[in-house]
Amino acid sequence: MAMLHEAKNIGSSSAEKHPFDVDKIRQDFPALGLRVYGKPLVYLDNAASTQKPVSVLDEEDRCYREYYSNVHRGVHYLSQKATEAYEQARRKVQGFVGAARPEEIVFVRGTTEGINLVASTFGRGRVEAGDEVLITEMEHHSNIVPWQMLCEQTGATLRVAPIDDRGEVILEEYEKLLNERTRLAAMVYVSNALGTINPVERMIEMAHAQDVPVLVDGAQAVPHMKVDVQALDCDFFVFSGHKMFGPTGIGALYGRWDLLSAMPPYQGGGEMIRSVSFAKTEYAEPPARFEAGTPNIVGAIALGAAVDYLQGLGLEAIRQYESGLLDYATEALSAVPGVRLVGTATHRASVVSFLIEGAHPHDVGTILDREGIAVRAGHHCAQPVMDHFGVPATVRASLALYNTRQEIDRLVTGVAKVQEIFG
Ligand code: PLP
């Protein structure tokens, strides 16, 4: 059978301008050589978590073997080496997101913890009964529930900006929802369920016009495009390491210095203090103020290695390559009779969410798995998005920089197999 990738050439012109050697890149990822049920793995669950390149794995290993100790506390050689590497990782993350200074980067467990930190410190100090917090209908649960909890605790109201049937925020509605009661806005940069790239610059501008500070959930943005928090002019930005080829259990919160330095601590304990007595504790300056206890030292250092890896390939080259691949996947799947795409925004990254007529997404996921194809079936922690489209779940293929057109062809063949089974 003539495969689609041979017959079509979508997006190749941009790839030619920025040569991107995906075969070579794939060699960096040991997991991509796995076989599943005897078939070569096709890994299309990158929005949930990405595979890791050798450079990240090696840095973790090297750290534990050669320069591991607790950070910030020791005068001895190893502690100083580990501290240096940990703080260097912070500077790498600072450069990666374009923060003005390293102290604006707080290491957290991931996006979820970053949002909870902001909600329970900045949010608690700012939001009162009668106030409003504005989010959008396409948020991940981790950018809904912490704000809902904040509203319950304070008597504020959670307002939700609607999306249209393509999966785009309706900007006029967004603007209308911003008012003198709005104390905080939080929005996803790239939707994990739909792939929509939100016009966050515009939305931040609208919020700032009403003096509303903004948190951007960048979990699905950082693996796919260059982010510059100063150009975006956001007040907070959060992301997870494990979705950008780094380890699990580490992520970062960017906060504008003037806001961070005025915020109370999140958790109490060691590391986050200047001095402690039973009468009074004085807190350290950020970022230490928000990093109570022994941090994920090796995770942060390996996240630094992931930043190096992405920057080595070039974020713009990655964006262009993936954009061609996403066009290819979108066109290939939408050409299959009986397949319905969920989320057709003009600007999308990485994600194709779809349904196959007559087949439950979970069955689709199971059948594809037997073909060696890893996709996700479910609500993708975005149940309100599913409600909007009137479906309980979708099948989600999410792409990363190492995926290929041949893999998309395998997915399309797998979809045909599902359709055969479900007649
Ligand atoms: N926000 C978005 C858009 C996501 O896709 C995810 C994870 O899927 C999260 C937040 C939560 O990330 P984590 O589980 O790493 O905290």
Side-chain angles (χ1 to χ4, degrees):
M1 185 170 87
M3 283 308 201
L4 205 52
H5 76 267
E6 289 161 352
K8 300 213 171 180
N9 212 17
I10 306 158
S12 66
S13 60
S14 54
E16 273 155 25
K17 268 184 257 145
H18 295 266
F20 192 83
D21 190 346
V22 72
D23 293 332
K24 187 157 168 280
I25 288 168
R26 289 178 68 82
Q27 303 299 314
D28 295 336
F29 293 82
L32 298 182
L34 292 173
R35 295 181 81 82
V36 174
Y37 305 115
K39 299 183 174 128
L41 169 69
V42 173
Y43 189 75
L44 298 174
D45 194 19
N46 296 288
S49 207
T50 56
Q51 299 301 337
K52 317 303 171 198
V54 169
S55 59
V56 168
L57 302 173
D58 281 355
E59 197 55 52
E60 276 209 13
D61 188 60
R62 193 164 34 247
C63 179
Y64 276 124
R65 284 174 192 273
E66 296 177 15
Y67 61 95
Y68 179 76
S69 177
N70 210 330
V71 289
H72 298 141
R73 296 174 195 175
V75 291
H76 61 79
Y77 177 83
L78 280 183
S79 180
Q80 289 190 11
K81 285 279 279 187
T83 302
E84 235 169 69
Y86 181 75
E87 292 305 327
Q88 191 194 9
R90 196 188 307 280
R91 290 191 293 276
K92 286 181 184 179
V93 171
Q94 173 206 351
F96 182 61
V97 297
R101 46 196 285 190
E103 296 84 0
E104 291 179 324
I105 303 297
V106 178
F107 283 123
V108 289
R109 200 156 51 80
T111 307
T112 304
E113 186 174 49
I115 297 170
N116 277 280
L117 190 161
V118 174
S120 49
T121 56
F122 184 73
R124 278 310 288 264
R126 190 173 162 84
V127 174
E128 292 174 0
D131 290 343
E132 295 179 1
V133 174
L134 178 60
I135 59 170
T136 81
E137 199 182 351
M138 72 168 87
E139 301 306 320
H140 186 280
H141 294 164
S142 66
N143 207 21
I144 301 174
V145 184
W147 306 119
Q148 226 163 21
M149 289 164 63
L150 175 66
C151 288
E152 274 166 20
Q153 287 155 0
T154 56
T157 304
L158 188 67
R159 304 299 299 270
V160 182
I163 59 174
D164 63 20
D165 289 341
R166 296 165 66 84
E168 293 177 346
V169 173
I170 304 169
L171 283 180
E172 307 81 72
E173 298 298 321
Y174 189 78
E175 192 160 31
K176 271 192 234 156
L177 281 163
L178 286 159
N179 62 59
E180 66 289 348
R181 289 181 302 279
T182 317
R183 303 292 287 155
L184 230 155
M187 67 191 68
V188 71
Y189 199 154
V190 176
S191 156
N192 67 305
L194 303 169
T196 308
I197 303 175
N198 274 320
V200 287
E201 295 92 333
R202 184 79 195 95
M203 292 163 78
I204 292 167
E205 229 173 68
M206 287 175 178
H208 282 177
Q210 303 272 355
D211 287 329
V212 175
V214 177
L215 176 142
V216 175
D217 169 357
Q220 300 293 347
V222 288
H224 307 294
M225 62 181 81
K226 175 84 190 103
V227 166
D228 184 332
V229 291
Q230 291 189 75
L232 288 178
D233 198 27
C234 58
D235 301 282
F236 299 100
F237 187 95
V238 285
F239 62 93
S240 303
H242 69 97
K243 294 181 195 288
M244 52 167 279
F245 316 102
T248 48
I250 188 75
L253 159 68
Y254 156 80
R256 248 182 43 209
W257 177 254
D258 57 324
L259 299 179
L260 266 192
S261 56
M263 277 158 51
Y266 177 46
Q267 296 175 328
E271 295 270 346
M272 51 75 73
I273 51 89
R274 184 175 292 144
S275 68
V276 177
S277 75
F278 289 118
K280 181 167 170 57
T281 289
E282 290 196 13
Y283 305 125
E285 288 286 290
R289 186 185 303 165
F290 304 107
E291 293 182 3
T294 299
N296 184 349
I297 302 161
V298 182
I301 291 168
L303 175 61
V307 166
D308 289 342
Y309 185 79
L310 281 166
Q311 289 178 331
L313 294 179
L315 272 303
E316 181 50 22
I318 293 168
R319 191 194 64 73
Q320 293 210 19
Y321 174 75
E322 288 189 14
S323 162
L325 194 62
L326 181 64
D327 285 349
Y328 184 77
T330 304
E331 193 155 313
L333 281 168
S334 49
V336 180
V339 169
R340 173 186 154 204
L341 298 194
V342 178
T344 50
T346 308
H347 301 291
R348 277 163 52 234
S350 165
V351 167
V352 193
S353 252
F354 63 97
L355 298 164
I356 301 179
E357 205 180 309
H360 192 282
H362 287 129
D363 294 331
V364 178
T366 306
I367 294 166
L368 290 177
D369 178 47
R370 285 282 157 177
E371 297 300 310
I373 304 165
V375 293
R376 188 148 289 237
H379 54 57
H380 318 297
C381 295
Q383 279 182 335
V385 173
M386 300 297 116
D387 291 346
H388 177 93
F389 288 95
V391 296
T394 69
V395 183
R396 181 185 72 183
S398 53
L399 314 176
L401 53 87
Y402 43 56
N403 289 124
T404 63
R405 293 179 181 208
Q406 288 88 338
E407 290 182 308
I408 304 300
D409 292 339
R410 290 254 321 265
L411 173 65
V412 172
T413 306
V415 166
K417 186 144 199 170
V418 173
Q419 290 181 316
E420 258 170 52
I421 291 170
F422 283 88

PDB file of all heavy atoms in Angstrom, residues 3 22 79 95 103 114 119 132 138 140 176 186 196 224 235 266 279 288 346 353 382 389 393 399:
ATOM      1  N   MET A   3       2.078   4.472   1.101  1.00  0.00           N
ATOM      2  CA  MET A   3       1.832   5.183   2.354  1.00  0.00           C
ATOM      3  C   MET A   3       1.692   6.674   2.103  1.00  0.00           C
ATOM      4  O   MET A   3       2.314   7.233   1.199  1.00  0.00           O
ATOM      5  CB  MET A   3       2.977   4.932   3.325  1.00  0.00           C
ATOM      6  CG  MET A   3       2.888   3.566   3.966  1.00  0.00           C
ATOM      7  SD  MET A   3       1.251   3.312   4.696  1.00  0.00           S
ATOM      8  CE  MET A   3       1.632   2.044   5.848  1.00  0.00           C
ATOM      9  N   VAL A  22      15.459  14.034  11.815  1.00  0.00           N
ATOM     10  CA  VAL A  22      14.667  13.320  12.809  1.00  0.00           C
ATOM     11  C   VAL A  22      15.210  11.904  13.043  1.00  0.00           C
ATOM     12  O   VAL A  22      15.143  11.395  14.169  1.00  0.00           O
ATOM     13  CB  VAL A  22      13.162  13.328  12.421  1.00  0.00           C
ATOM     14  CG1 VAL A  22      12.869  12.435  11.252  1.00  0.00           C
ATOM     15  CG2 VAL A  22      12.300  12.957  13.616  1.00  0.00           C
ATOM     16  N   SER A  79      28.960  19.054  48.321  1.00  0.00           N
ATOM     17  CA  SER A  79      27.788  19.905  48.505  1.00  0.00           C
ATOM     18  C   SER A  79      27.924  21.165  47.655  1.00  0.00           C
ATOM     19  O   SER A  79      26.954  21.644  47.056  1.00  0.00           O
ATOM     20  CB  SER A  79      27.609  20.272  49.973  1.00  0.00           C
ATOM     21  OG  SER A  79      26.476  21.089  50.116  1.00  0.00           O
ATOM     22  N   GLY A  95      17.078  31.296  31.306  1.00  0.00           N
ATOM     23  CA  GLY A  95      17.326  31.613  29.898  1.00  0.00           C
ATOM     24  C   GLY A  95      16.281  30.984  28.995  1.00  0.00           C
ATOM     25  O   GLY A  95      15.833  31.593  28.021  1.00  0.00           O
ATOM     26  N   GLU A 103      16.467  34.445  40.148  1.00  0.00           N
ATOM     27  CA  GLU A 103      15.652  34.380  41.378  1.00  0.00           C
ATOM     28  C   GLU A 103      14.155  34.356  41.060  1.00  0.00           C
ATOM     29  O   GLU A 103      13.331  34.152  41.952  1.00  0.00           O
ATOM     30  CB  GLU A 103      15.956  35.574  42.299  1.00  0.00           C
ATOM     31  CG  GLU A 103      17.369  35.623  42.845  1.00  0.00           C
ATOM     32  CD  GLU A 103      18.363  36.268  41.868  1.00  0.00           C
ATOM     33  OE1 GLU A 103      17.938  36.669  40.756  1.00  0.00           O
ATOM     34  OE2 GLU A 103      19.557  36.343  42.206  1.00  0.00           O
ATOM     35  N   GLY A 114       3.081  24.263  40.820  1.00  0.00           N
ATOM     36  CA  GLY A 114       3.300  25.688  40.557  1.00  0.00           C
ATOM     37  C   GLY A 114       1.999  26.477  40.669  1.00  0.00           C
ATOM     38  O   GLY A 114       1.956  27.564  41.272  1.00  0.00           O
ATOM     39  N   ALA A 119      -1.846  29.936  43.737  1.00  0.00           N
ATOM     40  CA  ALA A 119      -3.218  30.093  44.257  1.00  0.00           C
ATOM     41  C   ALA A 119      -3.198  30.272  45.773  1.00  0.00           C
ATOM     42  O   ALA A 119      -3.906  31.119  46.317  1.00  0.00           O
ATOM     43  CB  ALA A 119      -4.071  28.881  43.862  1.00  0.00           C
ATOM     44  N   GLU A 132     -13.517  37.979  41.700  1.00  0.00           N
ATOM     45  CA  GLU A 132     -13.633  36.951  40.660  1.00  0.00           C
ATOM     46  C   GLU A 132     -12.247  36.504  40.194  1.00  0.00           C
ATOM     47  O   GLU A 132     -11.307  37.300  40.161  1.00  0.00           O
ATOM     48  CB  GLU A 132     -14.423  37.501  39.459  1.00  0.00           C
ATOM     49  CG  GLU A 132     -15.859  37.813  39.822  1.00  0.00           C
ATOM     50  CD  GLU A 132     -16.662  38.393  38.654  1.00  0.00           C
ATOM     51  OE1 GLU A 132     -16.099  38.540  37.541  1.00  0.00           O
ATOM     52  OE2 GLU A 132     -17.842  38.693  38.880  1.00  0.00           O
ATOM     53  N   MET A 138     -11.143  25.766  28.458  1.00  0.00           N
ATOM     54  CA  MET A 138     -10.280  24.685  27.957  1.00  0.00           C
ATOM     55  C   MET A 138      -9.116  24.347  28.897  1.00  0.00           C
ATOM     56  O   MET A 138      -8.123  23.774  28.464  1.00  0.00           O
ATOM     57  CB  MET A 138      -9.747  25.021  26.567  1.00  0.00           C
ATOM     58  CG  MET A 138      -8.701  26.093  26.538  1.00  0.00           C
ATOM     59  SD  MET A 138      -7.909  26.164  24.930  1.00  0.00           S
ATOM     60  CE  MET A 138      -8.996  27.276  24.044  1.00  0.00           C
ATOM     61  N   HIS A 140      -6.828  22.543  31.736  1.00  0.00           N
ATOM     62  CA  HIS A 140      -6.538  21.258  32.391  1.00  0.00           C
ATOM     63  C   HIS A 140      -7.075  21.361  33.819  1.00  0.00           C
ATOM     64  O   HIS A 140      -7.104  22.456  34.391  1.00  0.00           O
ATOM     65  CB  HIS A 140      -5.021  21.076  32.399  1.00  0.00           C
ATOM     66  CG  HIS A 140      -4.535  19.753  32.903  1.00  0.00           C
ATOM     67  ND1 HIS A 140      -4.438  19.456  34.238  1.00  0.00           N
ATOM     68  CD2 HIS A 140      -4.103  18.656  32.245  1.00  0.00           C
ATOM     69  CE1 HIS A 140      -3.952  18.223  34.374  1.00  0.00           C
ATOM     70  NE2 HIS A 140      -3.744  17.720  33.185  1.00  0.00           N
ATOM     71  N   LYS A 176     -15.095  40.728  27.863  1.00  0.00           N
ATOM     72  CA  LYS A 176     -16.267  41.165  28.628  1.00  0.00           C
ATOM     73  C   LYS A 176     -16.231  40.650  30.070  1.00  0.00           C
ATOM     74  O   LYS A 176     -16.744  41.281  30.992  1.00  0.00           O
ATOM     75  CB  LYS A 176     -17.541  40.633  27.957  1.00  0.00           C
ATOM     76  CG  LYS A 176     -18.098  41.562  26.893  1.00  0.00           C
ATOM     77  CD  LYS A 176     -19.483  41.112  26.493  1.00  0.00           C
ATOM     78  CE  LYS A 176     -19.553  40.925  24.992  1.00  0.00           C
ATOM     79  NZ  LYS A 176     -20.582  40.014  24.535  1.00  0.00           N
ATOM     80  N   ALA A 186      -6.106  33.123  34.879  1.00  0.00           N
ATOM     81  CA  ALA A 186      -5.194  32.010  34.596  1.00  0.00           C
ATOM     82  C   ALA A 186      -5.637  31.372  33.290  1.00  0.00           C
ATOM     83  O   ALA A 186      -6.840  31.203  33.062  1.00  0.00           O
ATOM     84  CB  ALA A 186      -5.226  30.994  35.731  1.00  0.00           C
ATOM     85  N   THR A 196      -5.121  23.589  20.835  1.00  0.00           N
ATOM     86  CA  THR A 196      -5.272  25.017  20.554  1.00  0.00           C
ATOM     87  C   THR A 196      -4.126  25.833  21.166  1.00  0.00           C
ATOM     88  O   THR A 196      -3.814  25.664  22.348  1.00  0.00           O
ATOM     89  CB  THR A 196      -6.581  25.559  21.181  1.00  0.00           C
ATOM     90  OG1 THR A 196      -7.645  24.719  20.768  1.00  0.00           O
ATOM     91  CG2 THR A 196      -6.835  27.008  20.807  1.00  0.00           C
ATOM     92  N   HIS A 224       7.375  22.664  22.560  1.00  0.00           N
ATOM     93  CA  HIS A 224       7.042  22.834  21.139  1.00  0.00           C
ATOM     94  C   HIS A 224       7.409  24.184  20.548  1.00  0.00           C
ATOM     95  O   HIS A 224       7.386  24.346  19.334  1.00  0.00           O
ATOM     96  CB  HIS A 224       5.537  22.614  20.927  1.00  0.00           C
ATOM     97  CG  HIS A 224       5.041  21.318  21.484  1.00  0.00           C
ATOM     98  ND1 HIS A 224       5.443  20.106  20.970  1.00  0.00           N
ATOM     99  CD2 HIS A 224       4.208  21.032  22.509  1.00  0.00           C
ATOM    100  CE1 HIS A 224       4.865  19.129  21.657  1.00  0.00           C
ATOM    101  NE2 HIS A 224       4.112  19.673  22.604  1.00  0.00           N
ATOM    102  N   ASP A 235       2.607  37.374  34.371  1.00  0.00           N
ATOM    103  CA  ASP A 235       3.076  37.585  35.735  1.00  0.00           C
ATOM    104  C   ASP A 235       3.613  36.292  36.338  1.00  0.00           C
ATOM    105  O   ASP A 235       4.541  36.311  37.137  1.00  0.00           O
ATOM    106  CB  ASP A 235       1.930  38.151  36.576  1.00  0.00           C
ATOM    107  CG  ASP A 235       1.450  39.464  35.980  1.00  0.00           C
ATOM    108  OD1 ASP A 235       2.126  40.477  36.184  1.00  0.00           O
ATOM    109  OD2 ASP A 235       0.441  39.453  35.249  1.00  0.00           O
ATOM    110  N   TYR A 266       4.913  29.237  50.825  1.00  0.00           N
ATOM    111  CA  TYR A 266       3.930  28.197  50.458  1.00  0.00           C
ATOM    112  C   TYR A 266       3.952  27.111  51.531  1.00  0.00           C
ATOM    113  O   TYR A 266       2.958  26.818  52.170  1.00  0.00           O
ATOM    114  CB  TYR A 266       4.325  27.657  49.087  1.00  0.00           C
ATOM    115  CG  TYR A 266       3.485  26.529  48.554  1.00  0.00           C
ATOM    116  CD1 TYR A 266       2.090  26.567  48.609  1.00  0.00           C
ATOM    117  CD2 TYR A 266       4.089  25.429  47.952  1.00  0.00           C
ATOM    118  CE1 TYR A 266       1.331  25.538  48.083  1.00  0.00           C
ATOM    119  CE2 TYR A 266       3.332  24.410  47.409  1.00  0.00           C
ATOM    120  CZ  TYR A 266       1.961  24.455  47.483  1.00  0.00           C
ATOM    121  OH  TYR A 266       1.221  23.438  46.956  1.00  0.00           O
ATOM    122  N   ALA A 279      10.088  32.445  68.976  1.00  0.00           N
ATOM    123  CA  ALA A 279       9.320  33.701  68.975  1.00  0.00           C
ATOM    124  C   ALA A 279       8.964  34.120  67.556  1.00  0.00           C
ATOM    125  O   ALA A 279       7.851  34.581  67.292  1.00  0.00           O
ATOM    126  CB  ALA A 279      10.127  34.800  69.665  1.00  0.00           C
ATOM    127  N   ALA A 288      14.383  30.740  47.429  1.00  0.00           N
ATOM    128  CA  ALA A 288      14.474  29.823  48.576  1.00  0.00           C
ATOM    129  C   ALA A 288      13.182  29.835  49.403  1.00  0.00           C
ATOM    130  O   ALA A 288      12.756  28.792  49.910  1.00  0.00           O
ATOM    131  CB  ALA A 288      15.667  30.216  49.452  1.00  0.00           C
ATOM    132  N   THR A 346      -7.414  27.282  14.417  1.00  0.00           N
ATOM    133  CA  THR A 346      -6.476  27.689  13.363  1.00  0.00           C
ATOM    134  C   THR A 346      -5.039  27.475  13.823  1.00  0.00           C
ATOM    135  O   THR A 346      -4.205  27.009  13.057  1.00  0.00           O
ATOM    136  CB  THR A 346      -6.683  29.190  13.042  1.00  0.00           C
ATOM    137  OG1 THR A 346      -8.079  29.369  12.796  1.00  0.00           O
ATOM    138  CG2 THR A 346      -5.891  29.618  11.817  1.00  0.00           C
ATOM    139  N   SER A 353      -6.938  15.308  18.493  1.00  0.00           N
ATOM    140  CA  SER A 353      -7.941  14.590  19.272  1.00  0.00           C
ATOM    141  C   SER A 353      -9.011  14.131  18.297  1.00  0.00           C
ATOM    142  O   SER A 353      -9.457  14.913  17.466  1.00  0.00           O
ATOM    143  CB  SER A 353      -8.595  15.543  20.282  1.00  0.00           C
ATOM    144  OG  SER A 353      -8.190  15.265  21.591  1.00  0.00           O
ATOM    145  N   ALA A 382      -9.459  17.156  31.293  1.00  0.00           N
ATOM    146  CA  ALA A 382     -10.097  18.389  30.826  1.00  0.00           C
ATOM    147  C   ALA A 382     -11.574  18.068  30.587  1.00  0.00           C
ATOM    148  O   ALA A 382     -12.084  18.203  29.474  1.00  0.00           O
ATOM    149  CB  ALA A 382      -9.425  18.885  29.549  1.00  0.00           C
ATOM    150  N   PHE A 389     -17.894  19.593  23.960  1.00  0.00           N
ATOM    151  CA  PHE A 389     -18.093  18.896  22.691  1.00  0.00           C
ATOM    152  C   PHE A 389     -19.102  17.748  22.802  1.00  0.00           C
ATOM    153  O   PHE A 389     -19.344  17.043  21.829  1.00  0.00           O
ATOM    154  CB  PHE A 389     -16.745  18.395  22.146  1.00  0.00           C
ATOM    155  CG  PHE A 389     -15.877  19.522  21.629  1.00  0.00           C
ATOM    156  CD1 PHE A 389     -14.915  20.113  22.439  1.00  0.00           C
ATOM    157  CD2 PHE A 389     -16.068  20.025  20.349  1.00  0.00           C
ATOM    158  CE1 PHE A 389     -14.136  21.171  21.978  1.00  0.00           C
ATOM    159  CE2 PHE A 389     -15.303  21.091  19.881  1.00  0.00           C
ATOM    160  CZ  PHE A 389     -14.334  21.663  20.687  1.00  0.00           C
ATOM    161  N   ALA A 393     -15.111  11.287  26.078  1.00  0.00           N
ATOM    162  CA  ALA A 393     -13.671  11.049  25.927  1.00  0.00           C
ATOM    163  C   ALA A 393     -13.299  11.229  24.459  1.00  0.00           C
ATOM    164  O   ALA A 393     -14.167  11.244  23.586  1.00  0.00           O
ATOM    165  CB  ALA A 393     -13.345   9.625  26.364  1.00  0.00           C
ATOM    166  N   LEU A 399       2.041  14.662  19.461  1.00  0.00           N
ATOM    167  CA  LEU A 399       3.317  14.532  18.769  1.00  0.00           C
ATOM    168  C   LEU A 399       4.443  15.210  19.535  1.00  0.00           C
ATOM    169  O   LEU A 399       4.215  16.146  20.293  1.00  0.00           O
ATOM    170  CB  LEU A 399       3.212  15.189  17.392  1.00  0.00           C
ATOM    171  CG  LEU A 399       1.957  14.856  16.566  1.00  0.00           C
ATOM    172  CD1 LEU A 399       1.953  15.659  15.273  1.00  0.00           C
ATOM    173  CD2 LEU A 399       1.891  13.374  16.282  1.00  0.00           C
TER     174      LEU A 399
END
